[in-house]
Amino acid sequence: MSAGLIDGAALAREVYAALGDRLRALAGQGVTPGLVVVQIGEDPASNVYVRNKMRACEAAGLRSAVRQLPADCDEAEVLALVAGLNAEPATHGILVQLPLPAGLDAERITQAIDPAKDVDGFNWMNLGALVAGRARFEPCTPRGVMALLGRAGVPVEGSRAVILGRSNIVGKPLALMLVNRSATVTVCHTRTRDLERHTREADILVAAAGRAGLVTAAMVKRGATVIDVGINRDASGKLVGDVDFASVREVAGRITPVPGGVGPMTVAMLIENTVLAAERTAGVSGS
Ligand code: NAD
């Protein structure tokens, strides 16, 4: 039996459709949500991601702009740009596209973003609020995973969830979100012993390790939901996730493809967070 596909692009369209009323309410107050992406240097993958975000803003009816700096700029320039955007009323969301060129401290720069405009949810104020179960902005990728589970009707409460990866932007915040929704969560990483013993227990298995082919069919419990966050290139240059899709889909109950799974939903969550930021500034209540 082949797993049901969780179509991230289709589910993301549902998110955009649900934003329509909220955008109209904001427009009634003369407000169009605005996102500014700060891009430093010319990383080819970043160019693609930034372009996708701009397109999504345009399609959803948001204002968006890219502020570019050269790869050899110094940190003071970046911090000055961020400070200027923090003070700009029409900019509701600010995102610094990662990775940054060598020599720039990504942590110092992302922490300089006003927490009220931190639509990526990387600021420690926002991560701390998530720990306390009082999230203001949740990081887009783990929020996207939760949205996929919710919209695909995957039961979370009481489930066993296993996450491969413990990064501050995916694995750790996702673990908190799942715990806050009453899943029992195991977070695995490079030092985890006997990975398969953990993954085979999972009702929900999320791969966010950045290792092509890491998850094989033998590691998956029959009927489990498998969410593939990974983005890798295989030897032929093709985009692949962390999951060996062809074999795992014969065992899993539901599975996300790469591309077309977590990626589109991550972008949709960025748009949703930007709308939320604008609603808070305008004093309009959102969903
Ligand atoms: P990261 O490199 O910061 O973290 C990777 C994590 O995986 C680490 O905690 C590491 O311990 C763990 N890991 C690595 N190899 C492992 C192994 N063999 N077994 C168990 N754990 C292992 O990466 P990240 O920023 O969290 O991103 C993870 C992946 O998700 C990457 O492929 C990235 O490109 C992708 N990503 C996708 C989206 C999206 O929108 N689809 C967004 C963000 C990240």
Side-chain angles (χ1 to χ4, degrees), residues 8-206:
L11 295 176
R13 282 195 290 277
E14 293 180 11
V15 173
Y16 292 118
L19 286 177
D21 284 345
R22 295 169 64 183
L23 286 164
R24 277 186 285 279
L26 280 167
Q29 307 264 332
V31 177
T32 306
L35 173 71
V36 175
V37 176
V38 175
Q39 190 183 6
I40 306 164
E42 284 283 340
D43 178 67
S46 291
N47 286 341
V48 176
Y49 295 139
V50 170
R51 208 164 43 235
N52 286 344
K53 289 168 187 172
M54 294 295 107
R55 279 194 192 134
C57 282
E58 199 184 322
L62 275 61
R63 281 184 310 96
S64 64
V66 187
R67 301 292 293 271
Q68 262 166 329
L69 288 173
D72 61 356
C73 69
D74 63 29
E75 203 168 294
E77 259 180 278
V78 185
L79 292 173
L81 173 59
V82 170
L85 295 170
N86 282 343
E88 222 171 68
T91 298
H92 303 100
I94 304 168
L95 175 161
V96 175
Q97 185 64 41
L98 302 178
L100 296 179
L104 293 175
D105 186 332
E107 205 149 81
R108 244 192 325 259
I109 291 168
T110 51
Q111 296 312 308
I113 297 172
D114 179 348
K117 298 189 177 192
D118 172 38
V119 287
D120 244 347
F122 295 170
N123 189 285
W124 295 331
M125 293 278 283
N126 286 320
L127 287 173
L130 175 60
V131 173
R134 296 185 176 279
R136 300 279 297 158
F137 289 115
E138 293 171 332
C140 300
T141 300
R143 182 174 161 86
V145 171
M146 296 305 292
L148 286 173
L149 293 173
R151 288 184 179 273
V154 177
V156 173
E157 189 180 325
S159 68
R160 292 282 318 252
V162 175
I163 303 168
L164 308 184
R166 58 172 164 184
S167 74
N168 288 342
I169 63 171
V170 186
K172 279 190 218 162
L174 178 61
L176 290 165
M177 289 177 202
L178 285 163
V179 166
N180 288 346
R181 291 280 312 283
S182 304
T184 300
V185 182
T186 302
V187 180
C188 301
H189 45 78
T190 42
R191 305 292 170 86
T192 300
R193 276 176 292 192
D194 197 358
L195 199 61
E196 191 172 319
R197 186 169 63 81
H198 297 285
T199 60
R200 286 189 63 83
E201 294 277 307
D203 303 308
I204 298 171
L205 176 61
V206 182

